[in-house]
Amino acid sequence: MTQWRLLALYISIACGFVFVSAAITSDGWDLRPSGGDITTIVEERTRDAHARQNTVASLQAEIEKLGANSDSKTLEKENRRLAKYRDAAAMTELFGPGVRVTLDDAPRSVEVPGLDPNLLVVHQQDIQAVVNALWQGGAEAITLQGQRINSTTGIKCVGNTVILNGVPYSPPYVIEAIGSQYGMNAALDNSPEVSIFRDYSERYGLGFERTNEVEINAPAYAGAIRMSHARILN
């Protein structure tokens, strides 16, 4: 009987130690909060990124409003100087004919013995290969999932999602480009990286769809522009 009492005492001490350790570690926070699954986290970060983009747009509008109150001659001179670079910097909305490319993961039903499963999903290098080919083919403006891409845009792959300007996206990935359809299609056909993806598409069912569009809308770049190096343009 004494042994059982001692055992119960040891168990109580151990449980108390665990509870105290958890309280110290959590520092008042729930160690396993509700909504901690990956889908919920992605949705929360998407909402946060959209909120930040709205803030950027609001601040840009405020800057333009303040600029309107500046000296008119000085402002007009600066606007003429900057107008030459707004299109190249993706700061203006563009419309025109172009090409749409859609990339998608292989169906989950596809199972190839001995094949690395990572080869059955779209990666950032696949998206970048298409984007680079479109630029090389003479694209005037490119969007990914409706977001305008500029020279500072970074496309990052995190798990089975792609992060663009802080917003996570899941496949399929839609890339649209305004420009010469002939030139862009030729560049896509001649790109070795795109050819590899198309080969895997035919073998294992990854999605690759390309269409010519009569009109594509490329909205102005809405994110913040940060530069680590710059030089004055004459």
Side-chain angles (χ1 to χ4, degrees):
M1 192 67 175
T2 303
Q3 291 180 346
W4 285 107
R5 290 179 178 177
L6 289 175
L7 180 59
L9 177 61
Y10 291 150
I11 293 175
S12 299
I13 293 173
C15 290
F17 177 78
V18 170
F19 291 149
V20 171
S21 298
I24 294 173
T25 302
S26 64
D27 193 24
W29 293 88
D30 186 359
L31 290 177
R32 189 182 293 275
S34 59
D37 59 284
I38 188 64
T39 302
T40 302
I41 293 173
V42 168
E43 291 176 352
E44 290 177 353
R45 293 192 177 181
T46 300
R47 287 193 295 269
D48 180 64
H50 284 308
R52 291 174 184 269
Q53 288 181 345
N54 291 335
T55 300
V56 170
S58 176
L59 292 173
Q60 287 178 339
E62 186 176 347
I63 291 172
E64 292 177 2
K65 182 179 179 180
L66 292 172
N69 297 326
S70 302
D71 179 71
S72 58
K73 290 184 178 180
T74 302
L75 184 62
E76 183 178 354
K77 180 181 178 181
E78 288 301 311
N79 283 337
R80 285 199 303 269
R81 187 175 71 87
L82 294 175
K84 298 184 297 182
Y85 310 114
R86 291 184 66 85
D87 286 349
M91 301 303 292
T92 57
E93 185 176 28
L94 295 181
F95 296 88
V99 175
R100 174 186 296 154
V101 179
T102 304
L103 307 179
D104 201 356
D105 295 346
R108 294 192 176 184
S109 57
V110 175
E111 293 184 5
V112 182
L115 183 69
D116 185 353
N118 286 320
L119 297 178
L120 300 178
V121 298
V122 180
H123 294 283
Q124 66 185 58
Q125 60 264 29
D126 303 318
I127 298 174
Q128 196 66 61
V130 172
V131 170
N132 288 342
L134 292 171
W135 285 130
Q136 188 173 5
E140 300 172 15
I142 299 179
T143 65
L144 170 59
Q145 305 298 74
Q147 281 205 58
R148 185 74 171 270
I149 292 177
N150 69 359
S151 59
T152 63
T153 300
I155 302 172
K156 300 179 181 179
C157 183
V158 179
N160 62 341
T161 63
V162 163
I163 308 295
L164 178 63
N165 296 326
V167 181
Y169 294 103
S170 298
Y173 302 110
V174 179
I175 306 163
E176 294 183 323
I178 296 174
S180 167
Q181 294 174 337
Y182 175 81
M184 292 188 291
N185 280 312
L188 288 169
D189 290 336
N190 294 328
S191 168
E193 294 81 9
V194 175
S195 296
I196 292 174
F197 186 88
R198 292 176 62 186
D199 182 48
Y200 273 77
S201 173
E202 294 174 0
R203 289 186 182 184
Y204 307 119
L206 282 87
F208 182 89
E209 182 180 354
R210 174 175 53 177
T211 58
N212 290 332
E213 301 296 325
V214 175
E215 183 171 84
I216 289 174
N217 170 222
Y221 180 74
I225 297 179
R226 299 183 179 89
M227 294 186 179
S228 56
H229 304 282
R231 61 184 179 85
I232 298 175
L233 295 173
N234 298 323

